[in-house]
Amino acid sequence: MLPELFFGYFAAVIILLSVIVITRRNPVHSVMWMLLLFFHIAGLYLFLNAEFIAAIQVIVYAGAILVLFLFVLLLLNLREELKVKRFVGAWPAGLFITTAILVIVLGAVKSFVPGPAGKYSIEFIKQETHTKALGKLLYTDYLFPFEIASLVLLVAIIGAIVLAKRKTRSK
Amino acid sequence: MSDILNILITEETLNMLMKIGIIFLKIAVVLGITLLHVAYATYWERKVIGHMQVRLGPIEVGWHGFLQPIADGVKLFFKEDIIPANADKPLFYLAPVIFMVSALTSLSVLPFFDGFVIADINIGLLFLFAMSSLGAYGIILSGWASNSKYSFLGGLRSASQVISYEIAMGLSLVGVMMMAGSLNLSDIVRAQHQYPTGMFAIPQFLGFFVFIVAAFAETNRLPFDLPEAESELVAGYFTEYSGFRFALFFLGEYTAMLIMSSIAALCFLGGWTIPKFITDAMPLLMNVPGIVWFLIKVYAFMFFYYWVRATLPRYRYDQLMAIGWKILIPLALFNIVLTGTLRTMGVL
Amino acid sequence: MVPLNWYLMLSAVVFMIGVFGFLTRRNIIIMFMSIELMLNAVNISLVAFSHYLQDMRGQILVIFIITVAAAEAAIGLAIIIALFRNKDTVHVDEMNEMKG
Amino acid sequence: MSNYLLIPFLPLAAFLINILFGRKYLKENSHWVSILAVAGSWIVTVATLFDVLAGRVINEDLYSWIVSGEFKVSVGFLIDQLTAVMLIVVTTCSTLIHIYSVGYMHGDKGYYRFFAYLSLFTFCMLMLVMANNFLQLYFGWEGVGLCSYFLIGYYFDKKSASDAGKKAFIVNRFGDFGFGLGIIMIFLTFGTIYYEPVFSQAKGFASQTINFLGYDVHLMTLIALLLFCGSIGKSAQMPLHVWLPDAMEGPTPVSALIHAATMVTAGVFLVARCSPIFSLSETALMIVALTGAITSLFAATIGLVQNDIKRIIAYSTISQLGYMFLAAGVGAYTAGMFHLYTHAFFKALLFLCAGSVMHAMSGELDLQKMGGLKKYMPVTYWTMLFASLSIAGVPGFAGFFSKDEILWLAYSGSSPVGKFVWVIGTVVAFLTAFYSFRLIFLTFHGKFRGTHEQEHHLHESPKAMTIPLVILCIGAVASGWVGIPHLLGGGAHFTEFLKPVLGHPEAHGTHAEEWMVMAISIIAGFSGIGLAALFYLVKTDIPVMLTQKFNAAYKILWNKYYVDELYSFIIVRPAIWTAKNILIGITDARIIEAVVNGVPKGIGEFSRILRKVQTGLLQHYAAIMALGVLIIVAMMLLR
């Protein structure tokens, strides 16, 4: 009973916050609602015994990505944003497409059959601690993708600097 | 009615309620003690700096001005709460709360002495990072929502400063994590107790150095108090705040200092333990409760904060960023590589 | 025990809200946030799968998704800044230079 | 022994270096690269010649070039006696002419380009003669043709030069078309295009016929004649000779190297190389002999009246090439090769001397404006005199031995047309002596007839030019001595050397007859010289009187039998008319233009409709993508 309630609360809040995030007129408010949304998602991760993921959800998403959004919003002057239309003219079409896909996907979820369970049972993770289990896997089987991810980040750093740097006028 | 109650109130739920009650009690105790400490931290700061500058500091209210913090609190509480007309009101209200809450929440994972911690979670250190990164929101929002030049510039400066030094701080603690093999703060303290030197500050002296500098910058303290450089920005991001909301920022800052001191004590100075070689030499010290050692270490670190404030001049903004990105982060990375290498070689 | 399907449905709903936001909002930053929303929706389902199938791979994937999301946000926001400098707008429907 | 590879590839390297770095870096030093390369080739060639003299023959593949089903070709090299002779001729002439060019081309703006092309030409020519299969031969064949085109049109800003280049290229197409067909026929017949298997199997096909357009054609005759088509084009025989006189528009060293000593003799080399095939067909040999004889006579008669110094030598070249074909046609391949070999020296020398004269005369070519140059340029005079003595067949000089051998073998050989071509050959010998000395007398003797300014400018050429002249002069005098016939107490070494490859025809004649033939040819030569001396030294009014008396004949000769006009009437003008009226007017304007303009117009219209889809709005694309997802998911669900 309690887990269901718990989940119900989180799910309801997450959905509500998602809607709020995409409908706010003021992007800064959107960001703040999104911050709250990320905390709830992190809570959901804790509920799913993924404490490390929950932590990086907060650190990376809330602590880095959203702050970046906020920074960009502050750098851009968006005063007139509060006076203009929020949605494109054809938003009902978007709503229709989205609802149609949603209905079909929700229909499809019913027929989902889970595959066989792996070795990472709740007890196993508890005993080993979640971070350690994840780290062992990440640095052995997934070492190569991990290295690629680091390269992606490097490219992103350099790319962001190059893109956002104000062009110095060449003589 | 009673049927429903019977269903709800079972052995299990009672147990759970008990646990929740204990947690609330712990929270109350920690909050009370911390806030008291924060209040007197301001008093001690004025006193220490006063004496360092050969003056007396607060002296009128109570014995040697001992009641000064209380008087200050009362004054702030009853001051008029001014809100700028063009401010974004919801965010203006929210900003100091976020700032304060993010500071206070960090307290929940700090073990004050063996076994006394509100939430003994496995990722305690990560939780601290997460919360400290949240503080940036309070700063940015207060700067933006005030709709004032000084606030806005102060907010931007502070946010970029906090974000930049967060990386250095996080990296400086990676060495500790590698030494202890855990992210749980209690485990880290226990690991230090097992370690021959008794505290990680000795093998991790590089990390400790980076951590100290980053901690000063994280809490916007001198010599890195650029966001609130009076001569340039009036009071920085909280220029427009007054009264109770100002008090929240003020408290938040000192809470953050206290937390930084605690982290330093826990991760580098051995927390509530003292090195084994000392207890071996003087077995009598075994009887001293851990909280005492812990508080001594925290106070020492706080004193260091005051000392630096009284001694060092303020850096320029570009120097600040240069120190963060070009010195501290490479140093921390080098420390990680060094620690890893030495660990695999079995030296550390 | 909460069934796995609930998580999947939650994930689908959040994802579709993100899609809707992406399709209909004019502000490019909100569109970006919609993308983050979609990524988070996927993360929810991945962590749920990971938990229910007792397999860590889902969470590994989440780590990579967060990495890519961070990279994407950095690059995307840099592009937005460059765009704003040139066009002085963040409204997507005012940017149709690529019109055929 | 494998250093023989250096022979062709040194010049290739020189070409690459010059063409890549010549313009910017080497500039006036370009010649060093080319000369060193070709001199290196010459040294290796001499070494190789000694190997061949010692009896070693190389025939090996370097690497696989084309493999397509049954058709396999390698880049391969065959170095036998025949190749060795050609190698010596090519590298020697090439080296000397490279050196000569340093002086001749001095200060030209395309200096590096000139040497690059010369090196490329040398490379192609060497690949041609060293090939061990027909395709590589063809590669070299076309390569030298290309270089010839480049170098004839070297002064491309002069219209006559670029026209001459085009003419050479186009006329050669006719011959090469036949040559290509011949190679295809060889592949169809033998299933391979390597020399060795082809020649060894050729006997087996001797009597085979092939049905062609309803006629039974003797297979070997067909192949031989198709190959001979190529020879006609490249060696400027009737009726494809028209390009060679015009080719004199190129720089004189080019005329000497390409259009006298080496490239044009490739046709003779081809006939000699394919002698096993030609020998199997009496008809083909007869045609070769008659073509050679008639061309020889024809060109010699034209040469009598021309006034352009280089053109006279050009016609002389055509005539002498005809002589070589005449020899090949009567089965005396060795004699043909011998003449090729001696001719290379004295003809190259003649051209270089002409170039030297031109150099002194500031580019003047007209004999009428020269005269009395002897005292100004003694080296040129003496060398050119020796060359002329050689070509006129004066005993003791190189040309005498080779010409005499040809005439003797024509007379005594078993060819049905042998006596006929002997008569023509003797007449040509007389004519050759006449026009050669007409050239000498008009140029070097008498009084100077040019402008005063030209006279003032007259001087001997620089050392870089005269030294090659002297060396070539030695060749023009002495090169024949390796082939002194048995009759005169010599060893006929040249013939003996080539016998393993080319064989040697039986001579059906007595010593008396041989003496007789030799005497007649000597008389013909001396009477030609004497007549020329009479006409142009003693009684200079006779030629004028003759031209007036036989005006019609003179006109025909002066206009080169109107061959160019005939071609212009039969081929050029109809072709231009067709191009103008049908190809441009109808095909191009109505059909191709319609298609070319219509297709893009249609695409443009279609795109105009299609691009409506490209709104440039991000969200439209996203919406369409989402719609696609919707459709795919729906399809998967409903499946």
Side-chain angles (χ1 to χ4, degrees):
Chain A
M1 187 62 195
L2 208 54
E4 279 85 346
L5 275 179
F6 210 69
F7 176 81
Y9 163 74
F10 274 107
V13 171
I14 286 172
I15 291 170
L16 189 68
L17 285 174
S18 311
V19 173
I20 290 172
V21 163
I22 63 154
T23 52
R24 285 312 87 193
R25 193 181 278 280
N26 190 335
V28 177
H29 290 188
S30 270
V31 169
M32 293 320 295
W33 289 118
M34 199 158 195
L35 179 65
L36 199 55
L37 171 65
F38 284 161
F39 273 106
H40 278 84
I41 291 175
L44 208 56
Y45 291 161
L46 283 178
F47 193 54
L48 289 166
N49 273 336
E51 52 190 37
F52 184 77
I53 302 288
I56 61 167
Q57 170 83 11
V58 174
I59 294 173
V60 178
Y61 264 122
I65 297 179
L66 274 186
V67 173
L68 203 58
F69 271 100
L70 211 50
F71 253 87
V72 171
L73 283 171
L74 300 192
L75 286 177
L76 311 179
N77 186 9
L78 299 173
R79 295 224 174 269
E80 75 276 19
E81 179 70 23
L82 305 177
K83 295 163 204 148
V84 295
K85 271 195 308 169
R86 269 175 281 182
F87 294 101
V88 293
W91 66 268
L95 185 62
F96 167 74
I97 294 172
T98 333
T99 333
I101 302 178
L102 183 60
V103 169
I104 291 176
V105 171
L106 287 182
V109 164
K110 282 212 178 93
S111 54
F112 173 75
V113 184
K119 68 166 185 171
Y120 290 92
S121 62
I122 299 169
E123 292 72 35
F124 182 84
I125 291 174
K126 273 238 170 72
Q127 188 207 336
E128 182 136 16
T129 74
H130 180 248
T131 313
K132 204 175 236 171
L134 204 60
K136 271 186 180 162
L137 208 57
L138 197 58
Y139 285 96
T140 53
D141 292 358
Y142 294 91
L143 184 62
F144 188 58
F146 180 78
E147 294 296 336
I148 291 175
S150 68
L151 200 68
V152 168
L153 280 176
L154 181 68
V155 170
I157 291 169
I158 295 168
I161 291 170
V162 170
L163 281 169
K165 200 180 166 197
R166 215 176 278 273
K167 280 194 181 55
T168 47
R169 225 165 267 292
S170 53
K171 283 125 207 166
Chain B
M1 188 68 193
S2 61
D3 290 350
I4 299 170
L5 275 178
N6 278 340
I7 292 169
L8 283 177
I9 302 168
T10 57
E11 195 77 9
E12 218 174 297
T13 37
L14 275 177
N15 266 344
M16 193 141 56
L17 282 176
M18 270 285 273
K19 273 185 194 162
I20 292 172
I22 291 171
I23 288 173
F24 270 109
L25 200 68
K26 276 184 178 172
I27 291 173
V29 169
V30 169
L31 270 185
I33 293 175
T34 310
L35 287 178
L36 205 67
H37 270 95
V38 167
Y40 275 91
T42 62
Y43 170 77
W44 284 118
E45 178 164 22
R46 293 164 80 176
K47 270 292 185 198
V48 167
I49 291 175
H51 281 97
M52 279 180 176
Q53 294 168 345
V54 202
R55 52 188 173 82
L56 290 176
I59 197 126
E60 292 294 332
V61 191
W63 180 75
H64 277 270
F66 211 74
L67 296 177
Q68 185 69 40
I70 309 220
D72 283 348
V74 170
K75 181 200 82 175
L76 282 172
F77 205 78
F78 288 108
K79 235 179 143 177
E80 187 193 353
D81 187 8
I82 302 167
I83 297 170
N86 272 332
D88 188 327
K89 287 194 186 65
L91 295 183
F92 189 80
Y93 293 144
L94 193 60
V97 178
I98 292 179
F99 191 74
M100 185 70 196
V101 164
S102 70
L104 289 181
T105 315
S106 305
L107 292 172
S108 60
V109 292
L110 298 177
F112 296 103
F113 55 88
D114 204 358
F116 186 85
V117 55
I118 299 173
D120 189 19
I121 57 175
N122 283 330
I123 49 164
L125 215 45
L126 285 181
F127 185 84
L128 284 176
F129 293 156
M131 286 308 127
S132 81
S133 67
L134 275 185
Y137 281 96
I139 294 165
I140 300 180
L141 287 177
S142 63
W144 187 77
S146 305
N147 210 346
S148 145
K149 255 189 221 99
Y150 298 119
S151 306
F152 184 63
L153 288 177
L156 276 188
R157 272 190 180 188
S158 170
S160 28
Q161 174 180 333
V162 167
I163 291 170
S164 306
Y165 277 84
E166 210 168 81
I167 300 168
M169 194 177 81
L171 292 176
S172 72
L173 287 170
V174 170
V176 172
M177 296 177 203
M178 290 163 84
M179 299 286 289
S182 171
L183 291 173
N184 185 314
L185 287 164
S186 306
D187 286 349
I188 289 173
V189 172
R190 287 188 199 107
Q192 286 181 80
H193 194 57
Q194 299 302 318
Y195 198 73
T197 56
M199 40 182 72
F200 284 157
I202 293 158
Q204 283 295 318
F205 61 95
L206 262 181
F208 191 43
F209 170 72
V210 173
F211 177 84
I212 291 170
V213 179
F216 278 73
E218 272 286 285
T219 47
N220 293 329
R221 290 289 299 188
L222 274 163
F224 302 118
D225 65 336
L226 275 295
E228 46 200 274
E230 295 95 338
S231 48
E232 300 165 35
L233 293 171
V234 191
Y237 52 88
F238 50 79
T239 305
E240 303 292 340
Y241 283 87
S242 59
F244 181 64
R245 291 173 206 291
F246 174 77
L248 283 181
F249 274 117
F250 206 73
L251 287 179
E253 191 181 319
Y254 280 86
T255 315
M257 280 164 66
L258 210 62
I259 287 164
M260 285 299 158
S261 309
S262 309
I263 295 172
L266 290 168
C267 292
F268 290 103
L269 302 173
W272 65 82
T273 64
I274 49 169
K276 268 191 187 133
F277 56 85
I278 296 178
T279 45
D280 288 347
M282 284 181 281
L284 207 68
L285 290 178
M286 295 270 273
N287 302 324
V288 179
I291 182 83
V292 175
W293 298 124
F294 179 72
L295 285 179
I296 288 173
K297 286 164 183 168
V298 172
Y299 289 158
F301 205 83
M302 289 295 278
F303 179 78
F304 190 59
Y305 260 117
Y306 305 149
W307 189 7
V308 168
R309 180 178 173 185
T311 313
L312 293 181
R314 185 183 293 137
Y315 275 94
R316 221 169 53 221
Y317 191 70
D318 59 319
Q319 290 173 328
L320 164 88
M321 281 305 191
I323 290 171
W325 286 99
K326 293 181 187 166
I327 298 176
L328 293 189
I329 291 178
L331 215 57
L333 287 172
F334 173 71
N335 180 45
I336 292 171
V337 174
L338 193 70
T339 311
T341 317
L342 294 180
R343 283 284 284 185
T344 41
M345 285 164 63
V347 179
L348 288 181
Chain C
M1 191 66 179
V2 182
L4 175 57
N5 282 357
W6 291 19
Y7 284 100
L8 298 185
M9 287 180 182
L10 170 67
S11 166
V13 171
V14 174
F15 188 86
M16 282 307 152
I17 290 170
V19 172
F20 176 74
F22 187 82
L23 289 184
T24 57
R25 281 302 296 245
R26 298 173 67 217
N27 190 322
I28 196 166
I29 297 175
I30 305 276
M31 286 171 71
F32 248 96
M33 286 163 66
S34 302
I35 293 174
E36 300 295 339
L37 212 55
M38 289 188 246
L39 290 171
N40 269 286
V42 173
N43 284 357
I44 291 174
S45 61
L46 282 173
V47 174
F49 275 129
S50 173
H51 180 70
Y52 282 89
L53 300 180
Q54 302 186 349
D55 192 328
M56 275 303 207
R57 274 181 288 179
Q59 297 183 25
I60 299 276
L61 213 52
V62 169
I63 291 176
F64 290 137
I65 287 176
I66 291 176
T67 311
V68 170
E72 174 241 324
I75 295 284
L77 290 170
I79 290 173
I80 288 173
I81 288 179
L83 206 61
F84 185 79
R85 271 187 204 138
N86 288 328
K87 311 256 322 174
D88 210 36
T89 182
V90 287
H91 291 151
V92 168
D93 52 356
E94 287 162 31
M95 301 169 191
N96 58 352
E97 243 88 303
M98 297 295 278
K99 188 174 170 179
Chain D
M1 192 54 194
S2 68
N3 56 8
Y4 70 88
L5 285 177
L6 287 175
I7 300 173
F9 290 121
L10 274 178
L12 179 65
F15 161 69
L16 291 176
I17 291 169
N18 264 339
I19 207 77
L20 292 178
F21 307 114
R23 202 161 85 142
K24 282 219 168 127
Y25 306 107
L26 294 171
K27 288 175 190 156
E28 297 82 45
N29 299 317
S30 306
H31 58 264
W32 286 112
V33 181
S34 291
I35 289 174
L36 286 177
V38 76
S41 287
W42 181 76
I43 291 166
V44 181
T45 300
V46 172
T48 310
L49 176 69
F50 282 110
D51 273 341
V52 176
L53 280 173
R56 265 176 283 176
V57 171
I58 298 161
N59 184 0
E60 62 185 21
D61 289 345
L62 191 61
Y63 79 96
S64 217
W65 181 13
I66 302 170
V67 178
S68 169
E70 306 229 320
F71 183 73
K72 290 190 187 67
V73 190
S74 315
V75 173
F77 295 97
L78 167 67
I79 301 181
D80 57 5
Q81 288 83 347
L82 179 59
T83 305
V85 170
M86 288 304 286
L87 283 179
I88 283 289
V89 170
V90 171
T91 52
T92 311
C93 290
S94 195
T95 309
L96 292 172
I97 288 166
H98 269 80
I99 295 168
Y100 176 87
S101 301
V102 176
Y104 189 85
M105 300 302 291
H106 182 75
D108 194 272
K109 63 178 191 284
Y111 199 63
Y112 82 95
R113 191 160 55 93
F114 182 80
F115 279 99
Y117 291 156
L118 273 192
S119 293
L120 180 63
F121 168 78
T122 311
F123 163 70
C124 290
M125 190 69 203
L126 291 167
M127 288 300 274
L128 191 160
V129 299
M130 291 169 80
N132 75 345
N133 59 66
F134 280 99
L135 199 67
Q136 193 183 331
L137 173 75
Y138 195 72
F139 162 79
W141 189 271
E142 295 299 337
V144 293
L146 180 72
C147 294
S148 162
Y149 167 75
F150 284 156
L151 287 163
I152 294 171
Y154 177 74
Y155 300 119
F156 54 82
D157 43 2
K158 206 164 92 184
K159 189 176 184 312
S160 58
S162 60
D163 280 351
K166 277 184 268 179
K167 188 174 180 182
F169 212 67
I170 293 166
V171 171
N172 265 301
R173 273 324 87 216
F174 288 91
D176 292 347
F177 180 64
F179 185 26
L181 283 180
I183 294 175
I184 293 170
M185 278 307 295
I186 287 172
F187 179 67
L188 287 179
T189 309
F190 299 100
T192 175
I193 56 168
Y194 284 93
Y195 294 154
E196 198 260 318
V198 168
F199 296 150
S200 57
Q201 290 170 34
K203 272 226 164 62
F205 292 90
S207 54
Q208 205 158 325
T209 59
I210 180 171
N211 195 298
F212 180 70
L213 296 176
Y215 297 97
D216 277 340
V217 186
H218 191 229
L219 187 60
M220 283 303 123
T221 308
L222 181 66
I223 292 175
L225 288 180
L226 285 172
L227 294 177
F228 185 55
C229 276
S231 291
I232 287 178
K234 190 104 319 191
S235 293
Q237 295 298 292
M238 285 268 282
L240 299 181
H241 66 282
V242 287
W243 67 270
L244 186 59
D246 286 1
M248 297 306 130
E249 293 288 349
T252 305
V254 170
S255 305
L257 178 63
I258 300 181
H259 305 118
T262 55
M263 184 187 83
V264 290
T265 62
V268 183
F269 168 75
L270 177 65
V271 174
R273 178 55 89 198
C274 299
S275 56
I277 293 176
F278 278 87
S279 302
L280 293 173
S281 165
E282 197 148 287
T283 325
L285 277 183
M286 211 164 78
I287 290 174
V288 171
L290 286 177
T291 309
I294 291 168
T295 307
S296 167
L297 180 66
F298 168 87
T301 49
I302 296 175
L304 292 178
V305 299
Q306 296 300 315
N307 278 334
D308 182 318
I309 176 169
K310 276 180 75 180
R311 273 172 195 259
I312 293 172
I313 308 177
Y315 278 107
S316 147
T317 306
I318 297 176
S319 172
Q320 296 302 310
L321 288 167
Y323 238 85
M324 297 172 208
F325 281 111
L326 185 156
V330 297
Y333 304 107
T334 48
M337 284 308 294
F338 189 29
H339 196 55
L340 188 160
Y341 158 73
T342 54
H343 172 257
F345 292 104
F346 59 69
K347 188 49 64 63
L349 178 56
L350 277 175
F351 266 117
L352 295 186
C353 290
S356 179
V357 170
M358 268 174 75
H359 197 70
M361 297 286 294
S362 320
E364 182 59 66
L365 286 166
D366 194 345
L367 278 180
Q368 304 293 348
K369 302 199 172 122
M370 299 177 188
L373 294 183
K374 184 176 155 188
K375 62 175 179 238
Y376 298 106
M377 28 201 337
V379 179
T380 308
Y381 169 69
W382 284 107
T383 51
M384 193 159 183
L385 181 66
F386 281 125
S388 294
L389 287 171
S390 189
I391 195 174
V394 172
F397 291 91
F400 166 76
F401 298 108
S402 55
K403 198 180 276 185
D404 178 64
E405 187 160 342
I406 290 172
L407 289 175
W408 164 239
L409 288 171
Y411 176 84
S412 68
S414 52
S415 172
V417 292
K419 296 282 193 299
F420 174 66
V421 297
W422 170 68
V423 173
I424 293 182
T426 312
V427 173
V428 170
F430 163 71
L431 294 174
T432 306
F434 179 78
Y435 64 67
S436 297
F437 276 85
R438 173 174 174 260
L439 182 65
I440 292 282
F441 295 145
L442 281 179
T443 310
F444 293 100
H445 295 263
K447 275 209 322 254
F448 187 71
R449 294 179 295 273
T451 61
H452 191 70
E453 206 176 316
Q454 282 174 325
E455 187 171 8
H456 190 71
H457 181 70
L458 288 172
H459 62 278
E460 181 59 279
S461 301
K463 282 275 190 315
M465 287 165 75
T466 50
I467 290 172
L469 292 185
V470 173
I471 298 173
L472 273 175
C473 183
I474 296 168
V477 175
S479 64
W481 297 348
V482 296
I484 298 171
H486 296 295
L487 190 66
L488 299 179
H493 297 297
F494 194 86
T495 311
E496 298 297 325
F497 179 58
L498 283 181
K499 235 182 200 169
V501 192
L502 300 176
H504 192 66
E506 294 274 314
H508 307 285
T510 60
H511 280 305
E513 278 175 316
E514 201 172 345
W515 283 115
M516 190 262 295
V517 168
M518 194 181 286
I520 290 175
S521 84
I522 293 170
I523 292 167
F526 276 113
S527 56
I529 297 170
L531 202 61
L534 177 70
F535 277 18
Y536 298 103
L537 288 181
V538 188
K539 292 213 181 263
T540 46
D541 51 338
I542 294 180
V544 185
M545 189 197 77
L546 281 175
T547 44
Q548 275 159 2
K549 202 162 188 181
F550 301 98
N551 197 18
Y554 173 76
K555 270 245 171 84
I556 290 174
L557 291 181
W558 175 248
N559 287 307
K560 310 147 200 165
Y561 293 96
Y562 294 103
V563 176
D564 277 329
E565 286 75 5
L566 186 70
Y567 285 173
S568 159
F569 185 71
I570 299 173
I571 299 169
V572 180
R573 273 200 271 166
I576 291 175
W577 185 88
T578 317
K580 259 192 189 147
N581 294 301
I582 296 176
L583 295 180
I584 296 179
I586 298 172
T587 317
D588 194 57
R590 303 268 164 77
I591 301 171
I592 296 176
E593 291 255 309
V595 174
V596 166
N597 291 335
V599 168
K601 210 174 265 179
I603 293 171
E605 286 300 321
F606 183 60
S607 318
R608 214 189 304 285
I609 301 163
L610 205 60
R611 82 176 186 211
K612 295 264 190 294
V613 182
Q614 298 283 325
T615 55
L617 291 174
L618 179 61
Q619 280 156 333
H620 286 187
Y621 303 148
I624 289 166
M625 207 168 106
L627 209 60
V629 171
L630 174 62
I631 291 166
I632 290 170
V633 173
M635 272 167 60
M636 284 175 73
L637 218 65
L638 295 175
R639 191 162 47 110

